[in-house]
Amino acid sequence: MSLIPRAAPAASMAFAGRDPAVISLLKMLPLLLLLTFSSAAAPPAAASPSAVHNNNWAVLVCTSRFWFNYRHMANTLSLYRTVKRLGIPDERIILMLADDMACNPRNNYPAQVFNNENHQLNLYGDNVEVDYRGYEVTVENFLRVLTGRHESAVPRSKRLLSDEGSHILLYMTGHGGDEFLKFQDNEELQSHDLADAVKQMKEKHRFKELLIMVDTCQAATLFSQLQSPGVLAIGSSMKGENSYSHHLDSDIGVSVVDRFTFHTLAFFEKLNMYSNASLNSLFNSYDPSMLLSTAYYRMDLYKRALNEVMERYIYF
Amino acid sequence: MMMPPSTARRLCFLSLLLLLLLLAAAASATADAAAAEEFTEELLLRPLPDRKALAHFHFRSSAPPASAAGRHHHLFPKAISQLVQKFHISELELSFTQGRWNYEQWGGYDPMSTNNAKPPGVELWAIFDLPLAEIDATWKNLTHTLSGLFCASINFLESSTAFSAPRWGFKLNEGNLRYGALPREAVCTENLTPWLKLLPCRDKAGIASLLYRPSVYKGYYHSQKLKLKSSQSLGIILDQTLTVVLQPNTVSGKQLHSTGGQLQPSWSMEHLFSKKLSGKCLVSKSSRVFVEIEKGIVDNVDKAGSDVSSNNDLFVLSTAPDRSLKELDNLEVQSSSLYEYDVNNYNSDKPLNVGITWKLPLIWSCTRAPYHASRFLMGSGNERGSIAMSFLSTGLDKQLVDSSNDCSIKAVVFQVVPWYVKVYYHSLEVFIDGNSKAISEVVDKIHVTPSEDKLLPGTMEMLLKFPCSMQLATLTLDFDKGFLHIDEYPPDANQGFDIPSALVSFPEFNSSRSYPEADPLFVSPLLENFKEDGVVKSYTEVLLVPLTTPDFSMPYNVITFTCTVLALYFGSLLNALRRRIGEEERGLKKAALVRELQFALLQSQSQMLRWSTIYFFCWI
């Protein structure tokens, strides 16, 4: 606005003898140029630095079916309970369970799932809401949830409605191997599939920060193709290592929890919604002699220093 | 005589004001009467002959027609009213069941078994108020919405291979009814959670607070049902029922009586649910608990000579009921009786714990449907088989049974078979008491929609007429097993594939039970449902058909074998082409010579080294 008076006399003096329309156009030219430059500068400014963390989501996936994979269900439900306890409501949690353990005919304790042989804690509780269950837990549905590309009829409770201010926790457990994770003994999710989905999520601004935790054998290999910024990955074992179960419950008859998840829970059970624990302390709590595998974390895509990242910040 | 003008004006003003007040009151009264949402909750308990107990929870929410109340709800769940409006539903029923209703022991003739005995898994049917061409698309959207609402995989009913459109076999309609069932759907706490969230008090207060989840899911049969009826005049009526058959865990369960017989287990609400009822849901219009004593027990009490009250020679109820109602059937003979408790009279200081204690051993039986329908598979192998349906007479005589030839009992059979079990409907055979009969003698009316591969299931609706004197009838249908594409197999394909339950109804038998209430104001929705005219229905078993499954590890094995064979082939081929035999021998000889020379050189070298070290030490 201040340019116009300055430009006008110059323009009018320089082009005193020209057409009045051309003169008015020339007067507008500097203003137009300024506007275009400012609008060109705007998009970078409106990208990630300006996005503020304002909501949390959790996507918890158990990919194994059959009774002898009880521990994978217990892993996922333990994380579900922890995440709910620390403040994320059911509307922001997508829970995918590949089989029904609680009301399974082989379960001696109907409607109850335990992750410890002392049976102190019923993970199933009274208020569990499962979004994808049974045959619906497929690689296709998982990738659709992550990328948000659903059919129009799919209801809101089955969609990950995150935006550029979301922090998302993605937890997967089941059987896995070198660069893949097995879904229901039928199909696989490969590391490049996961990396592609995360790349799409980043392009569509579906997360600000993403924490992926995987508890399977050779979990670290699943992250080998990730390239998107703002992603933190924690795996329960390195390439060539297995992840082991923690203990067998002789009453139920199967192992009830995996070691990595057991120690992760042991860390979180000490916290509440107002704690200030940092991710660094979570990493330091993993002891290879207790896990019988080396917990792996990938931090190169993550910009902030880990001792600054508080658990509370992730979840609350 | 004229009044002074000021008083006249004042009087005029006062009368106008009075008129306005009256009008306002009238308007608000009509508005209140028309726009009131209501919620009632009831629980019915009944002892069963095989030492179990039945608990039936019934919650009714009603919303007045939309034009009167607008879109605001304070008791009625908004999710349901939005569902009804969006999909133009006039009637809908969705049930989640686990377990099989034991028709032999628990009865098949009363309104409880007719309305609440549902097939295992999920069953959904809906009648839409739409032009016929739009119904399939609306059904698809409805299944997705319900799957999100109730945490179940109801969206699997969207494809045309999963649902059917019966015209008269299920419920008489003009083509706007769609029916689908998923027999293998698991039912657990995650289905009960959203169902309870539709109630105004959730499970925090009132009768729903009794629902201790491990008790409910430990039962022999549990079925939660949602039934909707919507019309322009009456608004939306939503009935939510949960029927559970439990085994009471009492210490005194196996007491032997002095007479030698075994006493039925004495149970109470605390035994069944580990909780007592400490008050009603405060927004409910009425909250009641009923204990129903069936005709079989009442007859025994009568025989024992005592009056049927809550405390008699055979049993005693732990709390004195507030009211007792007696059923009146057509012959004005007293059958079952009902004891009613009003939960309003109880609170957390004085909780309600209804129970029954038996004094004498007792055996009774529940009335059964005229035929016990069951279904099974015949044949062996993975190529073909047969579906057989049997009707076994239970001895229920038709009212005016006469030995004339035209006494017949009608039965309607409705069956949906998935496309990969290809039924040949022309192979239908009927056997009555072991003798083969012509189809035209027994089948009055039949409507078949044959299956189409990967498109439609096979639907069959049949009206059969059995002679009254018949003991056993069997129908058989042959089928061929189809092949699925490898992607269409579920992850646990070796378990087999399910054929959903068939529905058998007996249109001439009316299952209604009327408990006349003295007080016209206290209308109980549960008893209203009992009074409704309904035909006697029963569901058959679900059939599990093993289909040919491919070897799922086959691709891996093929690749391994093929690569090995190719490697051997190409290896030998290359060897044969490149290697020359003479050259090899010469090469070997040369190599041998070179090796000898090298060895000789090494030996001499080592000898020299040895001698030099000896000389060196000697010299030292």
Side-chain angles (χ1 to χ4, degrees), chain B residues 385-424:
Chain B
S386 297
I387 300 177
M389 208 180 300
S390 77
F391 296 85
L392 185 63
S393 169
T394 58
L396 179 80
D397 301 319
K398 210 173 166 191
Q399 205 64 327
L400 300 158
V401 69
D402 47 333
S403 48
S404 65
N405 289 341
D406 19 329
C407 169
S408 65
I409 300 184
K410 284 198 205 150
V412 177
V413 173
F414 167 60
Q415 182 172 253
V416 179
V417 177
W419 67 265
Y420 38 82
V421 174
K422 301 181 217 203
V423 175
Y424 294 109

Side-chain angles (χ1 to χ4, degrees), chain A residues 4-304:
Chain A
I4 299 174
R6 262 187 274 135
S12 58
M13 280 200 292
F15 302 102
R18 296 289 176 105
D19 205 19
V22 174
I23 290 169
S24 57
L25 191 67
L26 285 170
K27 275 189 215 162
M28 300 310 267
L29 195 61
L31 181 65
L32 283 168
L33 283 170
L34 185 71
L35 280 172
T36 47
F37 277 128
S38 59
S39 60
S48 19
S50 68
V52 171
H53 166 218
N54 51 24
N55 58 69
N56 294 312
W57 283 82
V59 179
L60 309 170
V61 183
C62 166
T63 60
S64 305
R65 70 165 34 233
F66 302 125
W67 177 247
F68 51 83
N69 290 320
Y70 183 101
R71 62 186 186 283
H72 296 142
M73 203 73 55
N75 288 349
T76 317
L77 287 168
S78 312
L79 254 292
Y80 173 75
R81 184 190 160 266
T82 302
V83 148
K84 256 175 104 160
R85 186 175 66 85
L86 291 174
I88 304 187
D90 268 314
E91 292 81 45
R92 299 277 169 89
I93 302 177
I94 307 257
L95 180 61
M96 301 173 77
L97 297 180
D99 201 356
D100 171 45
M101 295 297 161
C103 293
N104 196 308
R106 287 164 108 158
N107 191 1
N108 215 7
Y109 300 90
Q112 291 162 291
V113 176
F114 304 113
N115 67 350
N116 201 314
E117 60 180 346
N118 58 23
H119 293 184
Q120 294 263 350
L121 187 59
N122 172 17
L123 297 171
Y124 225 58
D126 281 347
N127 274 321
V128 61
E129 285 186 18
V130 182
D131 299 299
Y132 288 84
R133 62 176 199 168
Y135 298 138
E136 282 183 290
V137 178
T138 57
V139 175
E140 184 192 337
N141 280 344
F142 172 69
L143 293 175
R144 282 183 188 277
V145 165
L146 284 187
T147 54
R149 294 161 69 173
H150 296 277
E151 286 180 27
S152 53
V154 171
R156 285 175 67 89
S157 62
K158 284 170 131 175
R159 294 181 189 233
L160 181 63
L161 300 167
S162 56
D163 54 24
E164 68 262 9
S166 303
H167 283 187
I168 305 181
L169 165 70
L170 171 60
Y171 175 81
M172 295 195 283
T173 181
H175 289 290
D178 196 356
E179 310 247 349
F180 71 90
L181 196 149
K182 200 162 66 154
F183 266 67
Q184 297 213 46
D185 227 5
N186 204 15
E187 45 181 4
E188 313 172 332
L189 172 77
Q190 299 194 321
S191 54
H192 59 80
D193 291 326
L194 182 64
D196 276 345
V198 172
K199 202 196 279 192
Q200 276 191 51
M201 284 174 85
K202 192 69 194 174
E203 281 175 22
K204 290 170 81 167
H205 300 292
R206 278 170 71 76
F207 68 91
K208 182 166 181 282
E209 286 171 17
L210 175 65
L211 169 62
I212 311 182
M213 282 176 86
V214 175
D215 187 355
T216 68
C217 301
Q218 305 189 55
T221 55
L222 201 65
F223 311 133
S224 58
Q225 314 267 356
L226 284 175
Q227 288 163 359
S228 317
V231 176
L232 194 59
I234 306 177
S236 60
S237 50
M238 305 282 295
K239 181 176 160 105
E241 285 180 355
N242 289 335
S243 292
Y244 295 95
S245 66
H246 192 260
H247 64 268
L248 171 77
D249 182 338
S250 34
D251 200 0
I252 294 183
V254 283
S255 304
V256 287
V257 72
D258 277 334
R259 284 181 181 258
F260 175 76
T261 309
F262 182 85
H263 288 104
T264 309
L265 284 177
F267 179 84
F268 280 114
E269 283 296 310
K270 297 184 220 137
L271 302 179
N272 59 31
M273 265 203 280
Y274 309 102
S275 306
N276 277 352
S278 72
L279 265 183
N280 230 359
S281 47
L282 174 65
F283 294 155
N284 294 336
S285 76
Y286 291 137
D287 179 6
S289 61
M290 299 296 286
L291 288 180
L292 301 181
S293 61
T294 319
Y296 163 84
Y297 20 97
R298 186 171 170 178
M299 306 177 297
D300 55 316
L301 298 167
Y302 197 69
K303 280 178 281 197
R304 291 188 287 153

Side-chain angles (χ1 to χ4, degrees), chain B residues 198-230:
Chain B
L198 299 175
L199 302 173
C201 284
R202 313 270 194 271
D203 59 341
K204 305 293 176 207
I207 288 179
S209 63
L210 285 174
L211 290 171
Y212 181 54
R213 311 291 192 266
S215 295
V216 171
Y217 292 104
K218 201 187 271 198
Y220 284 81
Y221 172 87
H222 59 87
S223 169
Q224 74 189 60
K225 196 173 76 157
L226 189 112
K227 189 166 163 64
L228 262 193
K229 249 197 202 128
S230 149

